[in-house]
Amino acid sequence: AYRCNPNHACGTTGLSGLTFDHPVATANAHGAAAFHVTSTQAQPIRFNAQVPASTGGGPQQGPALDGSARVTFTSGLSGAVKPGGKGWAATAAAFEGKVGQRYTYLCPAGGTRDTVWGTATYTDDSSVCTAAVNAGVITVAAGGTVTIEIRPGTHAYVGSSRNGTTTQAYGSFSGSFVVVGSPTHRSSVGFGGGDWSADASGLRGQNGHRFLYSCPSKGSFGSVYGTATYTDDSSVCTAAVHAGLITVASGGDVTIEIRPGAASYSGSSAHGVTSNDWDSFEGSFVFVGG
């Protein structure tokens, strides 16, 4: 608070985390005083002004507050954003403790997802770009520029499966960040795997749930059982080639849906891949998009 009287000095009382351009500001004959205040923390701040009593215990000096004061708030955040990092492996660990500061990260298109802990609030050693995908701000295919804000550590982080990513739960950690910006898309699709050996057997029983697999270019074929409906221990990327969704040379992202096991699976040859017959099996998947 600034306490001002006509022709008197004004000073601060009871404020913390703020800096003023002048320790005191002197009011003019009309009781007006100008000053600039800078806050480096994200916090609610209340400003008030009072007309104090005269030192002799008599009536108050100067006019009552008339509500005509001009207050201008200018956010310095956009100008204060600093470079944070580049690439899908980049984390925010180097900025731990710089609470309230914002940093930008460049996430190249067609990136590779990395490890993330948390949802909405992430541990600062998480992949920033992958966290931004989880938050729905960017996609792996398009990439983009991401802004984060540093937050204190918290006692627990909750994992989630959405937007083609699966993040991990974690306990207490020393530093966090949040992704700044509104989601451009929301999806319940999780992340299944990122190489040609990945199958869906670990997702068995999650019938109806969808998972995205990222298949690097110039991959190596694995075993596949079935046609259209595949056993969940089949190589998802190889099955995607068999289904005509991607090529081994170019790779790409594909989405599967988990299905119950079937009584039998018929093999076939298509797009350079030969899948195998199989009898009854405990779990299956089908493709729902490339």
Side-chain angles (χ1 to χ4, degrees):
Y2 260 66
R3 300 177 184 271
C4 300
N5 255 1
N7 302 313
H8 281 63
C10 302
T12 61
T13 62
L15 295 175
S16 61
L18 304 176
T19 57
F20 289 74
D21 63 341
H22 301 295
V24 295
T26 302
N28 62 23
H30 300 286
F35 55 90
H36 293 87
V37 185
T38 301
S39 173
T40 59
Q41 301 179 22
Q43 59 178 317
I45 301 169
R46 175 181 292 175
F47 294 94
N48 61 67
Q50 299 178 5
V51 180
S54 65
T55 55
Q60 291 182 336
Q61 299 179 11
L65 297 177
D66 62 9
S68 62
R70 290 190 301 250
V71 180
T72 302
F73 292 95
T74 303
S75 172
L77 288 174
S78 60
V81 176
K82 304 171 184 176
K86 178 180 178 180
W88 289 74
T91 73
F95 306 120
E96 186 170 301
K98 298 184 181 295
V99 176
Q101 296 294 307
R102 293 188 176 189
Y103 299 88
T104 58
Y105 285 72
L106 179 61
C107 306
T112 300
R113 299 164 186 79
D114 214 320
T115 308
V116 175
W117 292 270
T119 300
T121 298
Y122 306 93
T123 63
D124 63 16
D125 63 343
S126 297
S127 159
V128 170
C129 294
T130 309
V133 175
N134 181 257
V137 173
I138 64 170
T139 64
V140 173
T145 301
V146 173
T147 300
I148 65 167
E149 183 173 296
I150 304 301
R151 296 288 176 85
T154 187
H155 68 283
Y157 299 81
V158 178
S160 65
S161 183
R162 60 182 187 174
N163 302 320
T165 63
T166 296
T167 66
Q168 309 300 315
Y170 203 77
S172 179
F173 199 72
S174 54
S176 312
F177 68 84
V178 297
V179 179
V180 178
S182 300
T184 57
H185 68 284
R186 292 184 181 277
S187 169
S188 60
V189 175
F191 182 60
D195 59 65
W196 287 71
S197 64
D199 60 31
S201 58
L203 305 172
R204 185 178 298 165
Q206 298 189 47
N207 299 332
H209 290 263
R210 296 183 175 189
F211 297 87
L212 185 147
Y213 284 70
S214 184
C215 307
S217 60
K218 301 178 181 178
S220 298
F221 286 151
S223 298
V224 177
Y225 304 87
T227 299
T229 298
Y230 303 93
T231 63
D232 64 14
D233 65 343
S234 298
S235 160
V236 172
C237 293
T238 308
V241 176
H242 180 263
L245 298 175
I246 63 171
T247 66
V248 68
S250 299
D253 286 356
V254 294
T255 302
I256 67 168
E257 183 174 290
I258 304 301
R259 295 286 177 85
S264 63
Y265 300 81
S266 299
S268 62
S269 294
H271 304 104
V273 175
T274 298
S275 66
N276 302 290
D277 297 329
W278 198 257
D279 295 326
S280 177
F281 201 71
E282 294 88 348
S284 313
F285 68 83
V286 297
F287 290 103
V288 293

